[in-house]
Amino acid sequence: MTTQQRIQQIVSEHPVVLFMKGNAQFPQCGFSGRAVQILKACDVKNLFTVNVLEDNEIREGVKEFANWPTIPQLYIKGEFIGGSDIMMEMYENGELKQIIAELG
């Protein structure tokens, strides 16, 4: 399985996926930490995180997968949402909480 196929499988199998540095309990960069806090504030129950520091193929591959140069990256229902800045904007305008609420 290629790295791109692995990433596709991860985002297809889990409703909310955050590719990040570290994990939800121990984020290893400020942007990843902020992303986790935003998702907690949106009451995400089923957050699946992927620590890109543990897998360099995923770390580089996810940037290519979304054509997005930075980490963290959020996917909801297989769709790329954005990084921590976009997440913050969507959180502030209520859009992110609405998308997550629709997951049930």
Side-chain angles (χ1 to χ4, degrees):
M1 187 183 294
T2 69
T3 301
Q4 296 300 309
Q5 288 169 326
R6 283 172 55 209
I7 294 167
Q8 182 62 56
Q9 184 177 14
I10 292 166
V11 301
S12 298
E13 286 177 357
H14 304 279
V16 183
V17 179
L18 184 66
F19 290 90
M20 63 180 290
K21 294 177 181 173
N23 60 43
Q25 289 72 37
F26 300 103
Q28 296 190 321
C29 85
F31 295 109
S32 291
R34 185 167 75 164
V36 169
Q37 291 306 317
I38 291 168
L39 293 170
K40 282 182 179 170
C42 291
D43 298 323
V44 171
K45 303 284 185 260
N46 49 1
L47 175 61
F48 185 83
T49 61
V50 178
N51 183 353
V52 299
L53 299 177
E54 292 176 351
D55 189 330
N56 205 48
E57 286 181 11
I58 294 281
R59 184 179 187 168
E60 294 309 311
V62 76
K63 295 174 186 178
E64 197 179 297
F65 187 80
N67 195 22
W68 190 261
T70 58
I71 291 164
Q73 292 185 7
L74 176 66
Y75 291 79
I76 297 178
K77 292 195 307 201
E79 190 179 323
F80 176 63
I81 303 298
S84 63
D85 290 347
I86 290 171
M87 289 172 65
M88 193 61 168
E89 280 175 35
M90 290 177 71
Y91 172 69
E92 286 172 348
N93 70 22
E95 196 178 344
L96 190 59
K97 197 164 187 141
Q98 185 181 343
I99 292 169
I100 289 166
E102 288 167 8
L103 291 174

